């Protein structure tokens, strides 16, 4: 470092910035999370992009300095001597402590702001109790008094999903909604309120989606999917009224949903 001229320093800085821009442009333009399906999606994508740029910056600085050092301080042919013993460089150590600290503090504060923002309770909410088990989903609507193996929801309404699992840990994910949360057994038992099992999401694009389990939960894990239908309030009300006619204990499996249900009924649950 001592023998680095100002010109070399500027060249390395330019190389690191150039590499950061190049990586950022490519990575930010990749559609990582697929199509939009919820109001939470946008702030999450923005957060992801900011993190990509920060990561690209750190990666570029490390790569440029490493490649420069490998080239500049390589051993001459036939040089078998040991490297010079080097100890300490206070200024360098302060710099490489302060910069990562600032980056991590910024990332922490920004993530917290985004999380508080997307988890804020809206005035129009609908509660759905989501129950996962090997290898099926069940959705109970306490306000409507109905149950289903398909998740039907009215568009533009904030869902308050209460998650619970009957056997092992599962994970609730609708890719287009960009929200994912584990379902942990025991959430409904005494002391279970210490498990943060409520997740809020506001689907804002009508259409058919899939609830996917993203926690490897057993042999049938890959089949553990359910239909998620985002529809107008009117269509939802009509569906809920239909569901209410089904006799209790006879949960509808629907036309498209619950592919995982029933397939592994004989599977031993451990
Ligand atoms: Cu699962």
């Amino acid at each position: 470092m001592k023998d680095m001229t100002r010109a070399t320093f500027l060249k390395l800085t330019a190389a690191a910035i150039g590499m950061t821009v190049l990586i950022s442009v490519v990575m930010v333009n990749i559609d990582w999370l697929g199509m939009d399906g919820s109001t939470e999606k946008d702030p999450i994508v923005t957060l992801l992009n900011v993190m990509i740029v920060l990561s690209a910056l750190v990666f570029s600085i490390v790569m440029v300095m490493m490649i420069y050092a490998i080239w500049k301080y390589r051993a001459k042919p036939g040089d078998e001597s040991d490297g010079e013993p080097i100890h300490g460089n206070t200024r360098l150590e302060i710099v490489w402590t302060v910069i990562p600290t600032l980056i991590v503090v910024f990332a922490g504060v920004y993530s917290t702001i985004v999380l508080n923002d997307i988890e804020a309770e809206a005035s129009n909410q609908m509660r759905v109790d989501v129950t996962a088990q090997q290898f099926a989903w069940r959705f109970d609507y306490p306000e409507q008094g109905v149950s289903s193996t398909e998740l039907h929801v009215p568009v533009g309404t904030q869902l308050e999903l209460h998650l619970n699992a009957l056997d092992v840990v599962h994970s609730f994910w609708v890719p287009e909604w960009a929200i994912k949360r584990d379902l942990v057994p025991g959430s409904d038992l005494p002391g279970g309120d210490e498990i943060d099992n409520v997740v809020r999401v506001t689907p804002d694009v009508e259409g058919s989606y899939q609830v996917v389990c993203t926690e490897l939960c057993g042999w049938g894990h890959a089949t553990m999917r359910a239909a998620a239908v985002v529809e107008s309030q009117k269509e939802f009300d009509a569906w809920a009224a239909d569901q209410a006619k089904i006799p209790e204990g006879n949960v509808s499996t629907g036309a498209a949903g619950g592919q995982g249900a029933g397939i592994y009924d004989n599977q031993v649950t451990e």
Side-chain angles (χ1 to χ4, degrees):
M1 291 294 279
K2 266 179 286 175
D3 51 353
M4 191 192 287
T5 63
R6 198 178 163 76
T8 310
F9 180 76
L10 287 177
K11 268 187 224 165
L12 292 177
T13 307
I17 291 172
M19 194 172 166
T20 304
V21 171
L22 198 71
I23 294 173
S24 298
V25 166
V26 173
M27 299 283 275
V28 165
N29 276 299
I30 294 174
D31 189 9
W32 297 104
L33 299 175
M35 68 177 250
D36 272 1
S38 75
T39 55
E40 288 77 9
K41 184 78 181 286
D42 270 352
I44 292 173
V45 169
T46 308
L47 173 68
L48 178 65
N49 286 340
V50 170
M51 295 303 165
I52 285 174
V53 173
L54 285 177
S55 309
L57 175 68
V58 173
F59 179 77
S60 301
I61 293 172
V62 171
M63 282 301 133
V64 166
M65 292 308 292
M66 188 182 76
I67 291 165
Y68 173 75
I70 288 173
W71 167 77
K72 170 88 177 168
Y73 301 105
R74 67 193 185 282
K76 307 276 173 303
D79 179 2
E80 296 287 322
S81 65
D82 288 341
E84 225 182 299
I86 300 169
H87 178 259
N89 183 326
T90 309
R91 206 214 289 180
L92 184 63
E93 282 163 22
I94 289 174
V95 168
W96 78 35
T97 304
V98 169
I99 292 177
T101 304
L102 289 177
I103 291 175
V104 171
V105 168
F106 167 79
V109 171
Y110 178 34
S111 306
T112 307
I113 291 171
V114 171
L115 188 64
N116 283 336
D117 181 35
I118 64 176
E119 291 204 324
E121 277 186 58
S123 49
N124 64 330
Q125 276 198 354
M126 189 180 85
R127 175 171 169 166
V128 183
D129 294 341
V130 181
T131 309
Q133 69 182 101
Q134 291 168 320
F135 299 96
W137 297 93
R138 181 190 167 106
F139 307 98
D140 294 289
Y141 298 73
E143 290 155 29
Q144 288 77 10
V146 299
S147 299
S148 172
T149 53
E150 283 186 10
L151 177 60
H152 281 245
V153 298
V155 69
T157 299
Q158 186 181 60
L159 306 177
E160 191 186 85
L161 303 174
H162 289 247
L163 309 173
N164 190 30
L166 299 184
D167 36 40
V168 297
V169 176
H170 299 273
S171 192
F172 177 93
W173 187 39
V174 176
E176 295 83 355
W177 296 356
I179 292 286
K180 184 154 72 173
R181 182 73 67 85
D182 279 5
L183 302 97
V184 182
S187 304
D188 57 340
L189 299 176
D193 50 2
E194 284 178 32
I195 299 168
D196 184 7
N197 69 327
V198 177
V199 66
R200 293 189 180 82
V201 61
T202 315
D204 63 352
V205 183
E206 286 184 34
S208 291
Y209 305 87
Q210 274 199 324
V211 179
V212 183
C213 179
T214 55
E215 190 69 61
L216 184 55
C217 58
W219 287 109
H221 166 66
T223 67
M224 190 166 162
R225 288 163 183 250
V229 181
V230 181
E231 55 202 0
S232 68
Q233 184 70 49
K234 222 175 121 192
E235 288 170 306
F236 172 76
D237 291 340
W239 173 83
D242 261 7
Q243 291 301 113
K245 291 181 198 140
I246 297 166
E248 211 167 323
N250 195 357
V251 174
S252 144
T253 50
Q259 294 104 314
I263 297 175
Y264 291 85
D265 276 352
N266 298 323
Q267 186 86 27
V268 179
T269 306
E270 279 153 20

